[in-house]
Amino acid sequence: MQSKEEFYIYYGVISFLSIEYLWELYLAIRQHRVYEEATELPTDLEDIMTPETYKKARVYNRDQSSFRIMKDLFAFIVTCLVIYVDGFVIFWKAGGQLAASLGSTGHSETLQTIGFALLMNLFNTLINMPFSVYHTFVVEERHGFNKQTAGFFIKDKIKEFLVGQAIMLPLFAAIIWIVRIGGTYFFIYLWVFAMMFSLFLLTIYPNYIMPLFDRYTPLSPGSLRTRIEELAASVKFPLYKLYVVEGSKRSNHSNAFFYGFFKNKRIVLFDTLLKDYKSESEKDTSKTEKNEEKENEKKESEKVGCDDDEVLAVLGHELGHWKLNHVIKTLVCMQVNLFLVFLVFGLLFQFKPMYAAFGFRNEQPVIIGLLIVLQFIFSPYHAILNFSMTILSRHHEFQADKFARDLGKAKYLRSALIKLSRDNLSFPVYDWLYSRWHYSHPPLLERLAALDKTD
Ligand SMILES: [Zn+2]
């Protein structure tokens, strides 16, 4: 350590990382104990789930919880090690060598940054891979959620990595350019640029990026489609297209969402949300007798998904998010936050002790400064921000439920929530502190109680 400031930054960062880790661990252990100890189905849940589903959900969530605790411990150790051995310096130098070996002559901060980011991302992807494999093929598999083959998984990960780099690397190059030529108020330009970039991503993401990973098929004409169109029209939702995504290739967790700007809204339903949905390929093969027999063998009670009335109730909830401007409100919060981040970065980015604390004593690369501010300096603030956003999100969920209730869909939303919770093996018992900190959706019983209210 060469200066007092450097010393304070270094130990400040390490202390906060440790406090945050211990806090999360404490919460995780509290919640884990619930999974271990709440073995009997509580009486107020008897109408909602069977003892078998309850047990399945408990074991599934217990496994998930053990997995997360191990993964978080690993991530914490890696982060500490990276700081301890001046890992950013190592990757920065290696990034420079990579750029040079690819023919970059002289020193270019942009090319070195691209090399650095590429190596960092590769490193992160590789060290997380064993966890990802274990999660998909052991944890999810054991509980019947995994639908991926090894081939699909590998292809998916490679695609994910390439798409990530294709977005991130030009973004970094642009950021460096803006910081270097922007003058005193560069952070304002940076913010405007980031805003435009995120709107651009929101525009291209659903149409060009999501289809790279999953198949989106328009919902075929029929009574469900007609009823959805009527529902959308009744609340003046500008429904442009209606898709079903074959999420069941990936996993069995079911959902629905909408996206798009202005008059071009699309609604996407997961095939797992729809009880009787069959993909085109399944329709073809089910013509053979053997498959039909298999279908008939499947008992009604074993089927996952919701019937049409329930799907419409779920959409009533989603339309509530739209009508009440929840997406825009969240987006505005994010942009205000981003401005704050860039402002602080603008104030700190020439502050040499901040770089020195991470081993950079002779140079102050833009990307390193941004990384330190975003990942470390801001982490106490981010913890509070996340907590506030979780509160806001829970509030929005209640509002959207109420919207669906006002559409007269309380009864079906009620049964849909119960079914979705069953299909996803959500566990209805929780530690209050853990739930307050982590759950962006209110627990099932609270939502049902709010739906049952009449006012
Ligand atoms: Zn919602």
Side-chain angles (χ1 to χ4, degrees):
M1 294 289 148
Q2 285 168 348
S3 72
K4 233 190 221 165
E5 288 98 333
E6 191 185 324
F7 177 86
Y8 288 139
I9 292 172
Y10 185 82
Y11 285 102
V13 163
I14 299 266
S15 312
F16 185 77
L17 281 177
S18 310
I19 293 169
E20 192 185 29
Y21 173 72
L22 291 174
W23 165 245
E24 292 287 350
L25 180 67
Y26 168 68
L27 291 180
I29 289 173
R30 285 177 67 111
Q31 180 66 18
H32 195 82
R33 257 207 320 248
V34 172
Y35 299 134
E36 292 286 2
E37 289 167 6
T39 48
E40 293 301 317
L41 177 64
T43 42
D44 55 344
L45 288 163
E46 275 166 1
D47 307 336
I48 293 172
M49 61 203 310
T50 63
E52 293 81 58
T53 314
Y54 180 81
K55 191 181 165 210
K56 261 204 244 166
R58 190 177 71 81
V59 177
Y60 173 57
N61 283 282
R62 191 195 58 198
D63 285 3
Q64 289 272 29
S65 155
S66 314
F67 172 78
R68 263 197 310 271
I69 290 174
M70 290 315 291
K71 194 178 174 211
D72 290 349
L73 172 65
F74 178 74
F76 176 67
I77 294 173
V78 169
T79 308
C80 290
L81 274 178
V82 166
I83 297 176
Y84 184 70
V85 302
D86 285 344
F88 289 162
V89 177
I90 298 172
F91 279 105
W92 180 249
K93 283 186 180 151
Q97 280 162 2
L98 180 67
S101 70
L102 292 174
S104 153
T105 48
H107 177 74
S108 154
E109 186 183 0
T110 306
L111 290 176
Q112 189 164 5
T113 299
I114 287 176
F116 165 80
L118 205 57
L119 292 174
M120 254 335 247
N121 294 339
L122 197 62
F123 171 74
N124 282 325
T125 306
L126 290 179
I127 60 164
N128 285 316
M129 195 56 77
F131 285 97
S132 193
V133 170
Y134 185 82
H135 185 254
T136 306
F137 294 102
V138 180
V139 183
E140 295 281 290
E141 180 85 40
R142 192 189 290 153
H143 299 278
F145 283 120
N146 177 40
K147 300 277 160 164
Q148 302 183 40
T149 60
F152 181 91
F153 180 86
I154 294 167
K155 252 196 267 169
D156 207 49
K157 288 287 166 199
I158 293 174
K159 266 195 278 183
E160 213 173 84
F161 184 78
L162 293 179
V163 169
Q165 305 319 302
I167 294 169
M168 228 183 296
L169 301 181
L171 176 68
F172 288 158
I175 288 175
I176 293 168
W177 183 71
I178 293 169
V179 173
R180 291 301 179 204
I181 66 151
T184 322
Y185 296 107
F186 78 86
F187 61 91
I188 297 176
Y189 310 130
L190 202 55
W191 178 60
V192 173
F193 168 73
M195 208 151 49
M196 308 288 262
F197 191 80
S198 55
L199 288 179
F200 169 70
L201 267 190
L202 279 176
T203 317
I204 63 155
Y205 193 75
N207 293 325
Y208 299 100
I209 299 178
M210 283 174 0
L212 295 173
F213 294 96
D214 293 297
R215 202 161 85 193
Y216 290 78
T217 350
L219 180 65
S220 42
S223 91
L224 179 63
R225 189 164 138 183
T226 314
R227 292 181 67 191
I228 292 174
E229 284 164 354
E230 281 165 9
L231 174 68
S234 77
V235 295
K236 299 195 172 61
F237 180 80
L239 178 61
Y240 172 63
K241 278 196 173 138
L242 187 51
Y243 294 106
V244 176
V245 56
E246 284 176 16
S248 55
K249 276 220 183 73
R250 203 173 290 276
S251 100
N252 257 350
H253 296 288
S254 35
N255 219 328
F257 62 95
F258 68 89
Y259 67 88
F261 291 107
F262 311 114
K263 302 280 161 213
N264 284 318
K265 301 265 192 261
R266 286 97 162 155
I267 289 178
V268 178
L269 307 171
F270 276 56
D271 56 352
T272 39
L273 177 70
L274 311 173
K275 198 174 187 177
D276 295 310
Y277 184 79
K278 277 193 196 122
S279 72
E280 294 301 320
S281 55
E282 275 174 313
K283 272 180 200 161
D284 290 340
T285 51
S286 69
K287 275 175 196 153
T288 60
E289 267 175 42
K290 209 177 171 190
N291 270 306
E292 223 148 275
E293 263 171 39
K294 244 191 220 161
E295 267 310 297
N296 293 339
E297 271 171 32
K298 230 186 195 178
K299 272 178 264 157
E300 193 66 19
S301 61
E302 282 171 11
K303 276 191 186 171
V304 295
C306 297
D307 59 36
D308 287 5
D309 284 317
E310 292 161 344
V311 172
L312 283 158
V314 169
L315 283 179
H317 168 99
E318 292 303 321
L319 291 175
H321 282 311
W322 164 76
K323 196 78 177 178
L324 302 165
N325 292 322
H326 291 164
V327 180
I328 294 174
K329 283 177 189 161
T330 313
L331 214 64
V332 169
C333 287
M334 295 298 188
Q335 295 306 330
V336 171
N337 170 54
L338 204 60
F339 183 77
L340 213 64
V341 171
F342 287 150
L343 177 71
V344 172
F345 175 60
L347 295 172
L348 282 178
F349 104 109
Q350 283 172 325
F351 186 57
K352 288 183 176 165
M354 179 177 85
Y355 296 86
F358 289 84
F360 287 82
R361 294 211 159 71
N362 306 313
E363 51 182 341
Q364 289 86 39
V366 169
I367 188 74
I368 301 295
L370 198 57
L371 203 61
I372 295 171
V373 170
L374 271 179
Q375 198 180 342
F376 300 118
I377 309 286
F378 257 66
S379 54
Y381 165 78
H382 276 148
I384 294 166
L385 180 77
N386 280 340
F387 180 54
S388 320
M389 292 307 277
T390 304
I391 294 175
L392 182 69
S393 161
R394 269 200 305 259
H395 180 63
H396 284 169
E397 289 309 315
F398 279 126
Q399 284 187 332
D401 279 354
K402 186 176 178 302
F403 184 83
R405 195 183 80 191
D406 293 343
L407 288 174
K409 301 199 173 301
K411 181 179 155 212
Y412 292 116
L413 185 57
R414 194 175 202 290
S415 57
L417 288 175
I418 293 172
K419 275 190 189 169
L420 289 179
S421 143
R422 180 201 65 192
D423 291 351
N424 290 322
L425 287 183
S426 315
F427 192 60
V429 189
Y430 52 87
D431 173 69
W432 71 270
L433 193 57
Y434 181 89
S435 139
R436 276 297 132 91
W437 188 256
H438 281 293
Y439 289 174
S440 63
H441 283 58
L444 179 63
L445 281 183
E446 286 177 32
R447 287 180 78 176
L448 296 182
L451 274 178
D452 290 343
K453 256 192 269 170
T454 41
D455 51 18

